[in-house]
Amino acid sequence: MSKLFFDMGFNYAEFRLISMIITFLVLFVGVCIFTKKVALFTGLYGVTVFFNDATQVRNLMMIALVILGAGLMSKKNKFLRIVGMGIVLLSTQFHDLGFVFLIFLIPLSFIGMDRLVRYFKPFYVTSFVIGFIFAVLNTRSVLQLLAGLLEKFSSRQDSATNLLTRYGRGNSFSTIALTWLSVILLIVTMRILMRNARQLGIYESEQFKLVFIGSCVAIVSVFLIILAPDYSRISRNAFLFLLIMLCMVLERKRIIISNRNLVKILTILSLLIVTTYANTRVWGSTYYDSIPYLAKIK
């Protein structure tokens, strides 16, 4: 893609700007398929993980395509669903982590919501158990297996090498703990929103099922974060699906601040704060020193 723009006479800065414009248009269309609360999504995204994505264009294009593809997969029209699956597949060519969403979204979209929810608790419990195992064992064999898969399916020749070097260098205890805490809060928030979705009658909809699946992808980071801080991108990307789920619920339900809802509100606020802090902390001082520049306030 960069070579195409270079051949057309664009410099790198122009190419990056055009790429960001296209990416946000794709993301906008994808979010609009799921909810009318686009302004709420934009606001929450802007104060949480937007600045992370502003510095990682390929990753942002990947998740924008995944959200658009998931939106089309929620349609009843078979042609649109096939196109949606193709877009999710296309996302893997922008960033290898797109394969994680591909593996979850397409196969699980054919399973009913009730059955998915039955496996939800075993899935996250098992993920944390695997995370503990990864934390105490040598994970080289796991990396070799993942590298072999990438060599077969990824169009990027350096994918397997990156996995064994850049994506297999280990992580600090604080980063792992923050990621685990953010995922725990995400799981609790998902349960809160799922109960509300039942009451609002959107629980069985294809749209809610797909944002549920997309949010569940964050749980994979529980054990992958042991390997390298780069895998924090998985939970950050899945967090966008959680924001869409929240917007879908708030589109149909007014927030009433009361003692009964106080714990739920504090849980969601805690998720937003911890996710923002975790994704700031993981990239170090170079990243958070650049935030004022990215925000155009310095």
Side-chain angles (χ1 to χ4, degrees):
M1 188 173 175
S2 58
K3 186 178 186 304
L4 174 64
F5 274 81
F6 179 77
D7 292 340
M8 293 170 63
F10 292 95
N11 60 36
Y12 177 74
E14 292 170 335
F15 162 68
R16 188 180 177 87
L17 176 61
I18 294 171
S19 297
M20 290 296 286
I21 292 172
I22 294 172
T23 298
F24 280 112
L25 284 173
V26 171
L27 182 61
F28 172 76
V29 174
V31 172
C32 285
I33 294 175
F34 288 105
T35 178
K36 296 177 182 177
K37 290 275 188 179
V38 180
L40 176 61
F41 173 87
T42 304
L44 294 174
Y45 177 47
V47 299
T48 52
V49 298
F50 164 74
F51 292 113
N52 291 96
D53 289 334
T55 62
Q56 299 172 7
V57 182
R58 287 193 304 109
N59 178 82
L60 179 58
M61 175 58 89
M62 179 274 292
I63 192 59
L65 287 170
V66 168
I67 290 173
L68 175 60
L72 294 176
M73 285 169 60
S74 70
K75 300 296 185 181
K76 293 183 179 180
N77 186 291
K78 290 184 178 179
F79 174 74
L80 290 179
R81 297 188 70 175
I82 293 172
V83 171
M85 293 178 190
I87 291 175
V88 175
L89 180 61
L90 175 64
S91 73
T92 64
Q93 304 308 305
F94 286 88
H95 201 288
D96 293 329
L97 293 181
F99 282 107
V100 180
F101 288 91
L102 175 71
I103 291 168
F104 275 77
L105 279 172
I106 293 181
L108 297 184
S109 67
F110 295 99
I111 301 175
M113 185 65 180
D114 287 333
R115 188 175 177 186
L116 288 173
V117 172
R118 281 201 302 271
Y119 293 116
F120 180 45
K121 184 175 181 179
F123 172 57
Y124 66 72
V125 170
T126 302
S127 295
F128 274 99
V129 171
I130 295 173
F132 279 113
I133 294 172
F134 274 30
V136 298
L137 295 180
N138 186 340
T139 57
R140 193 68 183 177
S141 58
V142 178
L143 290 171
Q144 292 286 359
L145 174 61
L146 294 175
L149 291 173
L150 283 177
E151 282 182 342
K152 291 181 180 179
F153 297 107
S154 179
S155 64
R156 296 177 59 222
Q157 296 179 351
D158 61 344
S159 295
T161 302
N162 282 340
L163 182 67
L164 293 172
T165 55
R166 181 180 175 186
Y167 298 131
R169 63 184 186 274
N171 217 335
S172 67
F173 173 77
S174 59
T175 299
I176 295 169
L178 278 170
T179 301
W180 285 14
L181 177 59
S182 66
V183 172
I184 289 170
L185 288 169
L186 180 138
I187 292 168
V188 175
T189 301
M190 286 178 66
R191 288 195 168 277
I192 292 171
L193 296 177
M194 286 159 62
R195 284 195 292 270
N196 282 280
R198 279 187 183 274
Q199 297 169 358
L200 296 169
I202 60 172
Y203 180 80
E204 296 289 345
S205 68
E206 282 294 310
Q207 288 187 342
F208 191 83
K209 182 176 75 174
L210 283 160
V211 295
F212 169 79
I213 296 170
S215 300
C216 284
V217 174
I219 300 170
V220 175
S221 65
V222 166
F223 52 89
L224 290 180
I225 195 65
I226 308 294
L227 305 179
D230 304 81
Y231 291 110
S232 64
R233 290 188 179 102
I234 297 176
S235 58
R236 188 178 83 227
N237 292 332
F239 176 70
L240 299 191
F241 277 99
L242 190 280
L243 291 182
I244 294 173
M245 184 187 293
L246 177 62
C247 291
M248 289 176 67
V249 170
L250 294 181
E251 182 180 332
R252 299 163 176 84
K253 184 183 179 75
R254 290 181 59 189
I255 299 177
I256 300 175
I257 300 177
S258 63
N259 292 333
R260 182 179 178 183
N261 292 327
L262 186 59
V263 174
K264 297 176 183 178
I265 294 172
L266 289 176
T267 299
I268 295 172
L269 288 176
S270 297
L271 170 65
L272 299 177
I273 293 168
V274 172
T275 299
T276 304
Y277 180 69
N279 283 282
T280 301
R281 175 71 182 273
V282 73
W283 297 108
S285 59
T286 303
Y287 164 68
Y288 53 74
D289 287 344
S290 71
I291 292 177
Y293 169 76
L294 294 171
K296 301 300 181 184
I297 59 177
K298 186 177 180 181

